[in-house]
Amino acid sequence: MDAKEHWFLQGFLVLAMVIAQGATSKCPSSPLCYKKTESATIYTCEWETSESMKNATYELFYSRSNSTESRTSLGSSRKSYICVQDNTVLNKALVDIWVVAYMGNCSCQSLNTTVTLSERVKYEAPQSMSMARSSSNLTLSWDNKNDAVIEVKFRRLEETSRTWTCSKPVLVCTAMVTLENLQNQSAYQLQVRQMSKHVKHPLWSDWTPILDVPTEIPNPPEVDWTVEDFNNGTRLLKLTWGTPPYPVSMQVNYNLSLHIWPCLLKRKNFTSVTTTEISVYVTYSAVSGDINAFNKVGKSSPTHILVPAKHLTFPSKSWPNDRLIPLNYAHGFMKSCLEWYKLTDGETRPEKVNRSKLNGTVEKKLKHIREKMDDYVRYYYLVHKQTDGKPHSTEMCLMYKKEGAPSKAPDHFTAPILNVTTNSAMLHWKPIPVPDQRGFLTHYEVCYTRRGPKNESHIETGKCHNSFASKTEYLVQKLTPGSIYDIHLAGATAAGSGPTTTIKIATKPLPQSIIGWIIAGIIVLIAILITGLIFIIFPPIPRPVVVESVNYRARNQNMYEKEEVHELQLHDNCSQEPNPEEDAVLEVSETHECEDTDEKCLGESSTPVSDLLSPDYKGPVLRLETPNSSQGEIDCMVTMLMYRNGLVFDMKAYSTEDVGIPL
C-alpha cells in the first residue's frame, strides 16, 4: 500500500468516527441505575437526552457481563427514566445496561454501563430542612433515618455573585450538621446534598434548592394595645407590634395566643400571622396572652400580653344577707358565666380567678359563692355572655361582703414643711392601701389643734374638716402666725373612722414690716376714736345768724359769691351836726374786680362815708333792717359793714347797746 492509499484510509476512518459521534450525540446517555436506599427493592435507571429526542420512546436492556446470553428488556417509557423491580440477577450479578431510543423508523443505542446494582445507592436530596442559629453557629437538620455523608455549600446573601464555599464532607449519624464561624449579623444562602456510606459505589444526591438563612431574632416583639369601649359590655382590642430590622425581618411570622372568653380556660391561637396587627372583640374581663416572632432559624422569646379588666373607679355596693346578686346571671356555662375574684391591690387581677359552674340552681350557686367570700375584703365580679359569637359583659360590680373601719392610718405626710405659710399649710399624704381600707372610703378626716406660741403650752380646742376620699391633699387655712399645730389624719368608711396619723407643724411668724404697719394702724384707729368722743362730749359753738335785708336780697339775687366782712363801723344818725373828721375817715375802696359788669364798681375813687349814707347815693349799699320794722321809732344808730370789694351794709338798731357788741 503506497502513501496515497494510506492517507486515504486514515481520512475515511476519521470521517466515519465523526459521523458516528454525530449519530451518537443524538442518542441517550449511558443509563445511571441506583437504589434510593439500601433496603429499597426498586431501582431507578435514568439518562439524559437531547431536545430533538424528547418525543422518542426509550427501552432499557441488560445482559450479564462477559456472557453470551441474549439481552433482556427491563421495560420501555417515553420519559427519561424507568423504575425496575429488584431481582436476584440484577441485585448480585455484574451486568451491562443500556438504553435504546426509537423515533419513527430510526433507533439509537446508548453506551453500556457495567454495574452491580446492589452497590449503587443514591439518596434523595435532604428533605424538610430546618435551621437554628446561635451566636456564630448554624445547625441544619432534616428527615433521614440512615447515616450519610453530608456536604454543604454556602455564601453570604450580599455576595451572590461570588462562588460557593463548600464544606468538607462530614459523616453524620443523626441527620444534623453544624456550620461554625459564621457572621452573626449576616444572612446566608446554602445548598445541601448527601451520600450513603454503606455501599461500595455510593452516589451523591441532588443539591437541595437554594435556601435563605436569616439572622436570629434577638429581641421579643414590642406590643402596643388599644381598647375601644362600646359601653355595652364589649371592647375592641387592637394589638400592634413592630417589624424587626433587616435582615432579621426576612420571612418573619408571628404566633399569638389570647385568652378571650373568660368562661373557658382554653386560649384562642393565631398561628403564622404575617401581619403586624390584629383586632379581636373582648369582654370587660382581663385579657392575657403571649406572642413571639419566628423565622427559619428560630424564634424570639415570648412577649406577655395583659390587658387589665375595666374596673370601676368608684365604690359600688356591699352584699347584704337579704339580697342575692348579680341579677343577669343565666344558665348555660358556654353562653353565660360568673367571674369573681379578690382585688388585692384594688386594680390587678390575680392569676387565679373564680368561675362559676352550674351544679344546681342559680340561687344555690350564689349562696355558695357568698359563703366563700371573706369579710372586709374587696371583690370584683363580672357576668359574661355571648351573643352571636361576640362576647360581652352584662354586669360588673365592686363589692364587700361586709365593711369595717380602716385598719391602718394613711401613710406619712409628704414634705409638709415646704408648704407651710404664716396662716395656712398644704398637707399631702399617701392613700390607704386597698387591703387596709376594709371598705369603701367615704372621706378623710383632717383635725388640727393649736398649742399657742412656741413659748406657751396652752392648747386650744381642735377643729375638724372632711376631705374627699379621692383626694390626697388638703389646704388648712386661717391658722395663727408663729404657732405650733398638731394635725391628725384618718380615713373613714361607712363603718367608722380608722387610726390616725399625727404630725406637728409650726406656722411662720409675721415679718417685722407687717408688724409695724399693724401697730401704726392701731394708733390711727385710737386717734380717730378719741376725736369722735371729743366732738360728742363738747359740741361746737353756734355761729350768729345775720338776717339779710330785703333790698339786698332783691338787688343781689343773682350773686353767688360769698363776701368777707372787712370792717364794722357804727354811726350816730341822730346827731344834727355830723363830725366831719369821722366822715372824712370813713371811706370805701374797691380791692376786687366786679363779678357783674352791669353794676357800678366801687374803687374808682374814694367815697366818703357821708355820701354812702346819703339817700341820694346810688352805689352798692345794702341796708339791713331790724326785725321790728313796724315800729314808728327809728333808731339813730347805724351800723355799717364794709367789705373788701366795696359793698357797704347799714343797719338800724333800737339802741346803741345792741350794736355795741363787737362781732
Side-chain angles (χ1 to χ4, degrees):
M1 180 182 298
D2 55 9
K4 292 183 179 180
E5 292 178 352
H6 177 72
W7 286 107
F8 178 77
L9 181 58
Q10 285 186 349
F12 178 78
L13 292 175
V14 171
L15 179 61
M17 292 177 63
V18 171
I19 295 174
Q21 290 178 358
T24 55
S25 63
K26 296 182 180 180
C27 294
S29 63
S30 299
L32 179 63
C33 298
Y34 56 86
K35 295 190 298 183
K36 293 185 177 180
T37 62
E38 290 83 357
S39 60
T41 59
I42 297 177
Y43 293 92
T44 300
C45 295
E46 58 184 23
W47 54 88
E48 296 180 359
T49 183
S50 63
E51 185 67 21
S52 60
M53 300 293 291
K54 64 180 181 179
N55 294 325
T57 301
Y58 303 96
E59 187 175 6
L60 184 66
F61 295 93
Y62 83 97
S63 65
R64 287 179 176 269
S65 297
N66 303 321
S67 174
T68 58
E69 293 182 0
S70 60
R71 64 182 185 178
T72 302
S73 175
L74 294 175
S76 62
S77 173
R78 303 199 58 160
K79 299 179 180 180
S80 59
Y81 66 90
I82 291 178
C83 295
V84 181
Q85 185 68 32
D86 185 14
N87 56 56
T88 304
V89 176
L90 292 176
N91 191 28
K92 301 296 183 180
L94 183 66
V95 296
D96 296 331
I97 300 177
W98 68 93
V99 63
V100 178
Y102 300 97
M103 182 177 288
N105 296 326
C106 300
S107 62
C108 183
Q109 180 178 333
S110 68
L111 299 178
N112 293 348
T113 297
T114 302
V115 64
T116 301
L117 294 181
S118 60
E119 299 176 353
R120 291 291 184 97
V121 175
K122 180 183 178 182
Y123 290 155
E124 292 183 346
Q127 303 293 322
S128 303
M129 294 287 299
S130 61
M131 312 174 189
R133 293 190 70 166
S134 176
S135 184
S136 60
N137 298 333
L138 171 64
T139 301
L140 305 174
S141 59
W142 58 93
D143 294 337
N144 193 355
K145 297 181 180 180
N146 301 315
D147 299 341
V149 178
I150 299 298
E151 184 179 12
V152 181
K153 62 180 182 179
F154 58 91
R155 63 188 178 189
R156 292 178 60 188
L157 185 62
E158 296 83 0
E159 301 173 349
T160 54
S161 60
R162 297 184 59 181
T163 57
W164 295 89
T165 300
C166 294
S167 65
K168 294 180 180 180
V170 179
L171 176 63
V172 295
C173 301
T174 57
M176 181 181 297
V177 65
T178 300
L179 300 178
E180 299 178 348
N181 299 323
L182 300 180
Q183 298 183 14
N184 294 340
Q185 304 301 323
S186 297
Y188 286 84
Q189 288 182 333
L190 60 81
Q191 287 182 291
V192 183
R193 65 178 181 175
Q194 60 182 347
M195 181 176 62
S196 174
K197 71 167 188 175
H198 300 289
V199 295
K200 186 176 182 179
H201 300 289
L203 301 176
W204 282 108
S205 68
D206 296 332
W207 290 102
T208 60
I210 296 177
L211 304 175
D212 293 331
V213 182
T215 60
E216 61 181 336
I217 305 175
N219 301 318
E222 296 182 0
V223 182
D224 295 325
W225 56 267
T226 57
V227 173
E228 182 180 358
D229 191 355
F230 297 109
N231 296 320
N232 60 354
T234 301
R235 298 182 294 174
L236 179 62
L237 173 62
K238 183 177 182 180
L239 301 174
T240 58
W241 54 90
T243 303
Y246 182 85
V248 181
S249 59
M250 292 176 55
Q251 303 174 354
V252 173
N253 293 332
Y254 304 91
N255 288 331
L256 175 65
S257 63
L258 293 175
H259 186 211
I260 297 176
W261 179 230
C263 297
L264 296 177
L265 297 177
K266 186 178 179 181
R267 291 186 174 187
K268 184 175 182 179
N269 297 321
F270 303 87
T271 59
S272 299
V273 179
T274 58
T275 61
T276 58
E277 65 178 36
I278 191 170
S279 298
V280 292
Y281 288 101
V282 297
T283 64
Y284 283 168
S285 179
V287 179
S288 60
D290 296 284
I291 183 174
N292 60 60
F294 68 93
N295 56 18
K296 288 183 178 181
V297 298
K299 61 182 180 179
S300 68
S301 56
T303 298
H304 184 63
I305 302 171
L306 178 60
V307 180
K310 182 184 178 181
H311 286 159
L312 298 175
T313 57
F314 53 88
S316 183
K317 63 183 72 174
S318 297
W319 193 345
N321 296 329
D322 57 349
R323 182 176 179 270
L324 293 175
I325 56 174
L327 303 177
N328 298 327
Y329 188 74
H331 288 275
F333 183 65
M334 293 297 295
K335 295 182 179 180
S336 181
C337 68
L338 173 65
E339 178 185 10
W340 55 281
Y341 49 84
K342 293 181 181 180
L343 284 177
T344 55
D345 61 354
E347 295 182 357
T348 306
R349 172 181 177 267
E351 183 177 355
K352 181 181 179 181
V353 299
N354 302 290
R355 296 179 178 89
S356 64
K357 293 182 180 180
L358 291 179
N359 298 324
T361 62
V362 177
E363 289 76 11
K364 291 182 179 180
K365 184 62 184 178
L366 295 179
K367 289 182 179 179
H368 180 66
I369 290 175
R370 191 179 186 282
E371 291 175 356
K372 297 165 70 173
M373 290 183 175
D374 300 327
D375 293 339
Y376 317 124
V377 177
R378 182 175 296 185
Y379 285 88
Y380 187 62
Y381 82 81
L382 303 97
V383 178
H384 307 296
K385 187 178 181 181
Q386 274 195 353
T387 304
D388 298 330
K390 183 183 296 185
H392 65 278
S393 301
T394 58
E395 188 173 348
M396 54 191 295
C397 182
L398 285 171
M399 66 182 194
Y400 282 90
K401 178 182 178 181
K402 183 179 181 181
E403 292 189 69
S407 61
K408 184 179 179 181
D411 285 353
H412 59 278
F413 293 97
T414 57
I417 304 301
L418 299 179
N419 300 296
V420 177
T421 63
T422 57
N423 59 357
S424 66
M426 176 60 77
L427 308 177
H428 301 269
W429 63 87
K430 295 181 180 179
I432 302 175
V434 170
D436 300 320
Q437 293 180 9
R438 305 181 70 201
F440 296 118
L441 283 181
T442 56
H443 61 277
Y444 285 100
E445 293 181 352
V446 181
C447 299
Y448 56 95
T449 56
R450 177 174 175 263
R451 289 183 174 270
K454 296 182 180 179
N455 56 356
E456 296 182 9
S457 59
H458 174 68
I459 299 178
E460 296 182 354
T461 304
K463 297 180 180 179
C464 294
H465 301 279
N466 292 337
S467 177
F468 293 107
S470 59
K471 301 293 184 180
T472 57
E473 62 181 17
Y474 186 78
L475 179 62
V476 182
Q477 296 177 315
K478 298 181 180 180
L479 302 180
T480 303
S483 301
I484 298 176
Y485 284 88
D486 292 332
I487 299 181
H488 312 278
L489 177 67
T493 65
S497 301
T500 61
T501 180
T502 304
I503 190 173
K504 292 183 179 181
I505 65 170
T507 56
K508 297 179 180 180
L510 292 174
Q512 294 297 327
S513 59
I514 298 179
I515 295 176
W517 282 104
I518 293 176
I519 295 174
I522 294 174
I523 293 174
V524 172
L525 181 61
I526 293 174
I528 294 174
L529 293 176
I530 293 174
T531 304
L533 291 175
I534 291 174
F535 277 98
I536 294 173
I537 297 173
F538 306 101
I541 300 174
R543 302 177 64 182
V545 179
V546 180
V547 181
E548 297 179 350
S549 173
V550 177
N551 296 332
Y552 172 78
R553 189 182 299 112
R555 289 192 305 166
N556 299 279
Q557 59 181 355
N558 294 327
M559 294 181 61
Y560 59 88
E561 183 178 0
K562 294 182 180 179
E563 299 294 341
E564 180 181 357
V565 176
H566 178 63
E567 186 178 356
L568 175 63
Q569 296 182 3
L570 299 177
H571 296 270
D572 188 1
N573 197 23
C574 299
S575 179
Q576 299 295 330
E577 295 178 358
N579 190 356
E581 293 180 0
E582 294 179 1
D583 294 341
V585 174
L586 297 177
E587 294 181 355
V588 178
S589 298
E590 183 184 51
T591 59
H592 297 277
E593 295 180 356
C594 294
E595 296 295 334
D596 193 353
T597 57
D598 295 335
E599 296 181 358
K600 182 179 179 180
C601 293
L602 298 178
E604 296 293 338
S605 61
S606 299
T607 306
V609 178
S610 60
D611 294 340
L612 295 174
L613 299 176
S614 175
D616 297 331
Y617 178 70
K618 300 299 180 71
V621 177
L622 178 62
R623 297 182 181 273
L624 301 178
E625 298 179 356
T626 58
N628 296 327
S629 59
S630 61
Q631 296 179 3
E633 183 181 357
I634 300 176
D635 196 354
C636 61
M637 297 300 296
V638 177
T639 302
M640 291 192 302
L641 300 178
M642 300 180 67
Y643 291 81
R644 291 186 182 273
N645 59 0
L647 295 178
V648 178
F649 295 84
D650 63 78
M651 299 177 58
K652 290 183 180 181
Y654 291 104
S655 65
T656 56
E657 296 178 359
D658 297 337
V659 296
I661 301 174
L663 297 177

